[in-house]
Amino acid sequence: MFAVTEAIGFREVKAEILRRITQGIWPPGSLLPGELALAEEFACARATVNRALRELDEAGLLDRKRKAGTRVRLAPLRQARFEMPIVRLEIERTGARYRYVLIKKELLPAPDWLAARLHLGQGSTALHLLCLHLADGQPWQLEDRWINAQALPQVLDQDFHHEGPNEWLIRAVPYSEVEVSFLAAAAAAEEVTHLGFDPGDPVFRVERMTWWQSVGITHVTLSHRRGHRMTTRY
Amino acid sequence: MFAVTEAIGFREVKAEILRRITQGIWPPGSLLPGELALAEEFACARATVNRALRELDEAGLLDRKRKAGTRVRLAPLRQARFEMPIVRLEIERTGARYRYVLIKKELLPAPDWLAARLHLGQGSTALHLLCLHLADGQPWQLEDRWINAQALPQVLDQDFHHEGPNEWLIRAVPYSEVEVSFLAAAAAAEEVTHLGFDPGDPVFRVERMTWWQSVGITHVTLSHRRGHRMTTRY
């Protein structure tokens, strides 16, 4: 459906282009031959060349302009891509048994910082949840979540004792915009209590906010167990 | 060169497909019409549909299989993409004046942990550099870098007093594989001295290793100033 079977695949084309770039045959700043010329040289479909170029573009090695053609970037853009897995799957992938505990669930007037970030009106309410995700009985991640109860009134019918709010949200609500931050913070009271830190210990936190058509849906702080690293290879 | 000018662009097609997914017209798990059928419906080129589908695939919303066609993912894959900018550009982008200071430069027998990670042989030497990057005179990032001097003998001719090793490496050495980790750590001696932390304060660190054709090239620890967050929106 997406590509005709080729004598030469886009991976081979990509590897050859990468070789020419890294060996300086096509130095930084140089203009690559056009797609048709490359397709002819490699005796493959233009779509194959296109896919190879696209992936090298996404890897930050090329600079593609519709009219000016494709050049080797002077300084490769470096991107790190992290998969943000559902914590249950992340834990199960390690072979451990996943357990979920709802620590707190409360409907509250939205605190000022939350109202400001999610653009809530005056007198808004928000559902606040504190959840612990465990691997083989050991705390793995503490989830401190706020959900916009005006935008998502159906959230009030949810129990959240057996399934965490993240998995429910994924099913129930699409999102159009996400902001993710990674940071180091000194362990606060809830992290001391539920993750076993000493007060002030360094904690790796992920903060995420999602919007759907400009309406803030949820704000979550994910605090990770001691020594957690978020690692990616590419 | 890459797309014919269309009456309807891939952005419109993408938005319409996204609307159908998020409004449940095409629920999770459902099979999308084929590219040709969609191109006919939207009165656009098949390449336009293909690009829209590809971007929704990259956003983790679709599951595309060559033979089985395109389905709406049951649980969207969530990815966070971070640009890893050159620190000079990151600082200059804020409007601040960039300054670079080489604190230490020493050729050392590779320590065991480094030899293990970069796969160095016995008796290998490594260039160790400690560098500080400042924004308007304030410490912004401490760079603790090791470079494989066997793989890169030309590194020994470099001065590194006026330009940091990162920018030199980008010009001099390609890489084929990268591992990046984000973590929180307690401030160590160098971070206390050069970034102004108190001992044990939480520090946000990025660790990165790069290989070129299976040979480890460099290992770097980037320690960020107090309160630094790495944020991305998508």
Side-chain angles (χ1 to χ4, degrees):
Chain A
M1 180 170 179
F2 299 111
V4 184
T5 307
E6 306 289 344
I8 179 169
F10 78 93
R11 282 187 194 80
E12 286 81 40
V13 173
K14 184 177 161 188
E16 175 58 19
I17 295 173
L18 186 60
R19 188 189 68 79
R20 293 184 190 181
I21 292 171
T22 53
Q23 297 191 349
I25 297 167
W26 290 341
S30 66
L31 188 66
L32 263 60
E35 289 189 6
L36 283 173
L38 289 171
E40 195 168 322
E41 180 189 345
F42 295 128
C44 67
R46 178 172 175 174
T48 306
V49 171
N50 182 276
R51 176 152 183 201
L53 292 177
R54 204 168 72 222
E55 294 204 356
L56 290 166
D57 179 29
E58 281 164 11
L61 289 167
L62 299 178
D63 187 16
R64 300 176 84 198
K65 295 227 166 68
R66 189 179 294 196
K67 285 181 182 158
T70 298
R71 286 183 185 277
V72 180
R73 261 189 205 282
L74 291 170
L77 273 188
R78 291 168 311 165
Q79 282 192 335
R81 250 191 234 206
F82 290 84
E83 234 189 86
M84 310 288 284
I86 294 172
V87 63
R88 176 174 56 76
L89 301 179
E90 182 187 354
I91 289 171
E92 288 174 352
R93 220 181 274 166
T94 70
R97 193 172 42 84
Y98 171 70
R99 192 154 65 87
Y100 159 80
V101 178
L102 178 64
I103 298 168
K104 200 193 295 185
K105 178 183 160 194
E106 49 191 356
L107 191 65
L108 295 174
D112 288 345
W113 67 267
L114 184 75
R117 300 218 62 189
L118 296 185
H119 308 299
L120 305 180
Q122 276 203 323
S124 292
T125 53
L127 187 67
H128 181 222
L129 300 156
L130 192 64
C131 315
L132 189 63
H133 304 275
L134 302 101
D136 282 343
Q138 297 298 313
W140 176 278
Q141 185 188 89
L142 185 69
E143 174 179 358
D144 187 335
R145 183 177 291 274
W146 295 83
I147 301 174
N148 178 347
Q150 264 73 40
L152 277 184
Q154 68 269 42
V155 76
L156 302 176
D157 304 328
Q158 297 305 311
D159 177 275
F160 294 127
H161 277 86
H162 302 288
E163 185 190 49
N166 189 31
E167 297 197 44
W168 179 78
L169 282 165
I170 283 172
R171 279 201 315 276
V173 196
Y175 60 78
S176 50
E177 209 179 335
V178 183
E179 184 184 294
V180 180
S181 295
F182 296 166
L183 61 143
E190 303 283 26
E191 292 159 333
V192 169
T193 304
H194 299 293
L195 292 173
F197 284 104
D198 290 322
D201 274 354
V203 180
F204 180 69
R205 287 190 198 153
V206 175
E207 286 186 11
R208 195 170 67 220
M209 276 211 301
T210 58
W211 292 264
W212 171 243
Q213 296 176 334
S214 303
V215 177
I217 297 293
T218 185
H219 179 288
V220 66
T221 302
L222 304 170
S223 303
H224 294 78
R225 71 197 186 290
R226 192 186 297 273
H228 183 76
R229 308 170 145 242
M230 187 165 253
T231 297
T232 187
R233 264 180 104 109
Y234 54 94
Chain B
M1 181 170 180
F2 299 111
V4 184
T5 307
E6 305 290 343
I8 179 170
F10 77 92
R11 282 187 194 81
E12 286 80 42
V13 172
K14 184 178 161 189
E16 175 58 19
I17 295 174
L18 186 61
R19 188 189 68 79
R20 294 184 189 181
I21 292 171
T22 52
Q23 298 191 349
I25 298 168
W26 289 341
S30 66
L31 188 67
L32 263 62
E35 289 189 4
L36 283 172
L38 289 171
E40 194 167 322
E41 180 190 344
F42 296 130
C44 67
R46 178 171 174 174
T48 306
V49 171
N50 182 275
R51 176 150 183 202
L53 291 178
R54 204 168 70 221
E55 294 205 356
L56 291 166
D57 180 29
E58 281 163 10
L61 289 167
L62 299 178
D63 187 17
R64 301 175 84 197
K65 294 227 165 67
R66 189 180 293 195
K67 287 181 182 160
T70 298
R71 286 184 184 276
V72 180
R73 261 189 206 282
L74 290 170
L77 272 189
R78 291 168 311 164
Q79 282 191 335
R81 249 191 235 207
F82 290 84
E83 235 189 85
M84 311 287 286
I86 295 171
V87 63
R88 176 175 56 79
L89 302 179
E90 183 188 353
I91 288 171
E92 287 173 353
R93 219 182 275 166
T94 70
R97 192 172 42 84
Y98 171 70
R99 191 155 66 87
Y100 160 80
V101 178
L102 178 65
I103 297 167
K104 200 194 295 187
K105 179 183 160 194
E106 49 190 356
L107 191 65
L108 294 174
D112 288 345
W113 66 268
L114 184 74
R117 299 217 62 188
L118 296 186
H119 307 299
L120 306 179
Q122 275 203 323
S124 293
T125 52
L127 188 67
H128 180 222
L129 300 156
L130 192 64
C131 315
L132 189 62
H133 303 275
L134 302 101
D136 282 342
Q138 296 298 312
W140 176 279
Q141 185 188 89
L142 184 69
E143 174 180 357
D144 187 336
R145 183 178 291 275
W146 294 83
I147 300 175
N148 178 347
Q150 265 72 38
L152 278 183
Q154 68 269 42
V155 76
L156 302 176
D157 304 327
Q158 297 304 312
D159 178 275
F160 295 126
H161 277 87
H162 302 288
E163 185 191 49
N166 189 31
E167 297 197 46
W168 179 79
L169 282 165
I170 284 173
R171 278 201 314 277
V173 196
Y175 59 78
S176 50
E177 210 179 335
V178 184
E179 184 184 295
V180 181
S181 295
F182 295 166
L183 61 144
E190 303 283 26
E191 292 159 333
V192 169
T193 304
H194 300 293
L195 292 173
F197 283 104
D198 290 321
D201 273 355
V203 181
F204 180 68
R205 288 190 197 153
V206 175
E207 287 186 11
R208 196 170 66 221
M209 275 211 302
T210 58
W211 290 264
W212 170 243
Q213 296 175 334
S214 302
V215 177
I217 297 293
T218 185
H219 180 287
V220 65
T221 302
L222 304 170
S223 304
H224 294 78
R225 70 196 187 290
R226 192 185 297 273
H228 183 76
R229 308 171 144 240
M230 186 164 254
T231 297
T232 188
R233 264 179 104 110
Y234 54 95

